[in-house]
Amino acid sequence: MNTTAAAAFPSPMSIATPDGCDGWQEMYPHYALFSEDRREADEGRLWFWNSMHFPEPMPAFDVVAIDAPYYALGTWQNRVFAIPPAMGIDYRIVNGYVYITPNAVTDPEQIAERAGYFQERAGFYFQNWDSLYGRWREKMDQLIAEITALEVPALEKYEQDEVAYEDGDTSFYRVLDAWSRTLRMHERMWQHHFEFLLLGYGAYLTFSDFVKSALPEIPDQHIAQMVAGIDVLLFRPDTELRRLARLAREAGVAECFGGDVSPAQIVAALSGSDAGRCWLEELEAIKDPWFNMGSGDGFYHHHRSWLDDSRMPFAAIKGHIDALADGIEIDRPTEQLAAERDRLAEEYGSLLAPELREGYDELLALSRKVFPYVEEHKFFCEYWFQSRFFNKVRGFGALLAKHGFLAETEDVFQLTRHEVGQALEELCLTWAHGGPAAGPRHWPPIVERRKAMVERLRAWNPPPAIGTMPSEAINDPISVMLWGITPERLRSWAAAVDGDGSSLSGAAASPGVAEGPARVVRNVSEITDVQRGEILVSTVTSPAWAPIFSKIEGAVTDIGGIMSHAAIVCREYGVPAVVGTGRATAEIRTGQRVRVDGTNGLVTILNDGASQ
C-alpha cells in the first residue's frame, strides 16, 4: 500500500462539522452516516465524493435520489447480471455530501460462479438488444404517462356524492395511496434505468480490454473516440435550440433576444409581430418532448425541466444567435467526428493480426450499437420522469402548506420521504376526525433549521476522497468508466494535496488544447453566467449543459472517467476536456487564465488574475 498517499486522505470520522451546522445528521437515514459501530470497516476503505451526481449538499427529501439509484444499480449489477468482480455501491453522507465506494468480489470461486450467470444473461441481452430496448422504451413511456396523470387529491370539507352513493374511495385513502404510488413509481423508474446501462458499459469495457491486450500503447481516448455515437437522442434538444436561433435570424426577430432580458420579456417582444408569433409557434411545437430536458443532472428537486424553468434554453438561443452574428459555426462537428472515428477504427484494426481482426470488428460493432443508451437513458429517466416526479412531490407539499403543516410548497423538500409520509398521515387523521393537529407547530421549525444548514454546508469544500488508499486496483467497471477511479487517479488526487497548485492532471477526455479565462461553476444556477471563450471548470458537466458548449473553449471537471457524461458531451462537441482532476474547483478561480490539454490530460493555471 502507498502509505504516503493514504495519509493524504482524511479519516471519515475525523472530519469536522462546519460552523452552524451541528445536527446536520438529522436530515439523513442512520445507515447513510459514518458511525462507531462500523468505524474499523469504513475507515479501512476508500470513499470518494460522487460530485458527478451529487455536487451540492443534499436536502433531506432528495436522499430519495440516492437510495433508489443504488437499490437498482446493486440489484442489476450484483443480483441479476452478477458482474464477476463487482457487487454494488455503498454510500455515506459527510456534511451533506455523498461519498461512495464499490463493493468488490475477491473470491476466485465466486468470480467464476458469477461469470457463468453474467455470460448467459448478458449474452441474451446483446443478442436481443433491439427488441429488448424497444420494450424498455415502451415501459418508460408508460411510466412517464402514469406519473404525469397521477393526481394529488384535495381534502375538502365534505366528500363528494360518489363516496356516499357510488362506493368511491375516500379522500384520506386517495391521498395516502397517491403518495405511496408516487414513491413506488420513482423506484420503478430507477429499476428501468439500470437495466441496460451496465451492459452498455460492459460492452465498451470488453472492447477496451480486447484492444489493450493486443495494442497495449493505445490511449483510452482513442478507444472512446472509436465508439462515440454521432446521432444520440440526448443532443436533440440542443439541436432544436440551434435551429430556433437560425430561424430567429432568418425571420428578423433576433433583436428580441438582445440585452439582459428574461424569457417572459422575450416572449412579450416576439408576440408583437407576425414573424415573432410564427417563431413562438415553432417554439411550442418542439416543447413536447424536447423541453422535458433538465437543467442539471436530475438528482435534486431544484434541477427543473426546461418546461418549468426556461432560462437555460432561452439563454442558449441568445448565445447561438450572437455566435451566428459573429460568424461562428454553432453545429456539432458530426462529420469530423465520424471521419475521425472511422479513421481510428481502421488504422488500429489494420495493426492487428488477422486472427484478431474478426473479434475486434465484432466487439466494436457491439459497442457502437449499445453506446447510444449510455447517454439516451438520461433523457427519459433523469430528466423527463424525474422532473415530473419532483413536481408531483410539490403537489403534496402544496397540500401540506394549504393546511398549515408547511409555510410554502417548496418546504416539503426539507423533510425526508418518511417524514412527508408522517405529515400526510397526520393531516389525513386530523382532517378526518376534526381535532387539532400538531404538524403546523412541529414541522415549520424543522424546515427553517434545515434550510439554514443546507445553505451553510454549501460553503464547505469536500475532499475528493476519504479513508484508505486501496492496495489493489479497483475492478468495478462502473467506478472506472463513469467516475474514473483508478490507482493512478487516486495517487494524483493524493499528490495534489501537497502540490503547488499550478497544474492538475486527469483523464484525457476530449482531444485538443485550449486556453482562456476560467469560469468556475459549482451549481446549476451559475450556468447562465458562462461567457464566450471561457474555460468551464466544474465538479462535473451534465448533458443538460450542452447548450453552452458553443460558448466555451474547454472544460475541466473534478470527477469523471473516460465514459462519464462530461467526457462524452465534450467529445461530441469537439471541446478539449480533462476530467477527474479531483480538485479543479478548489484550485482554480474564476478569471484565472487556464490551459486545457485534452490530449494528454493536463491543466495548467497560467496566471493569478482571478475575480472572486
Side-chain angles (χ1 to χ4, degrees), residues 263-295:
Q265 291 171 315
I266 294 172
V267 170
L270 290 166
S271 299
S273 68
D274 289 341
R277 287 189 289 273
C278 287
W279 189 93
L280 289 173
E281 289 178 2
E282 286 290 323
L283 174 67
E284 290 300 315
I286 71 160
K287 283 185 175 180
D288 184 13
W290 307 120
F291 266 42
N292 288 293
M293 191 67 176
S295 58

Side-chain angles (χ1 to χ4, degrees), residues 34-49:
F34 287 108
S35 56
E36 283 295 336
D37 62 317
R38 296 188 292 194
R39 175 191 282 265
E40 183 177 355
D42 282 356
E43 290 193 340
R45 307 168 74 185
L46 176 88
W47 302 82
F48 62 92
W49 174 25

Side-chain angles (χ1 to χ4, degrees), residues 569-590:
V569 173
C570 289
R571 285 195 296 270
E572 294 295 321
Y573 282 86
V575 174
V578 178
V579 301
T581 63
R583 297 180 55 82
T585 57
E587 298 291 342
I588 300 172
R589 297 189 299 278
T590 293

Side-chain angles (χ1 to χ4, degrees), residues 450-531:
R450 291 177 180 177
K451 281 183 181 178
M453 279 198 294
V454 169
E455 285 307 307
R456 292 191 186 102
L457 290 171
R458 291 184 188 280
W460 188 60
N461 188 20
I466 56 179
T468 303
M469 180 79 78
S471 57
E472 298 179 357
I474 293 175
N475 291 320
D476 178 10
I478 197 169
S479 296
V480 174
M481 295 177 59
L482 194 56
W483 290 289
I485 304 302
T486 64
E488 295 77 16
R489 190 66 51 240
L490 294 174
R491 287 193 289 271
S492 172
W493 289 357
V497 174
D498 299 319
D500 62 9
S502 63
S503 64
L504 296 165
S505 64
S510 183
V513 178
E515 288 187 17
R519 171 67 63 174
V520 180
V521 172
R522 290 188 173 86
N523 59 66
V524 169
S525 64
E526 298 172 342
I527 287 299
T528 54
D529 296 335
V530 176
Q531 303 297 311

Side-chain angles (χ1 to χ4, degrees), residues 19 86 113 159 186 266 321 339 479 506 597:
D19 291 341
E113 177 183 296
E159 293 282 22
H186 181 257
I266 294 172
I321 289 172
S479 296
D597 183 347

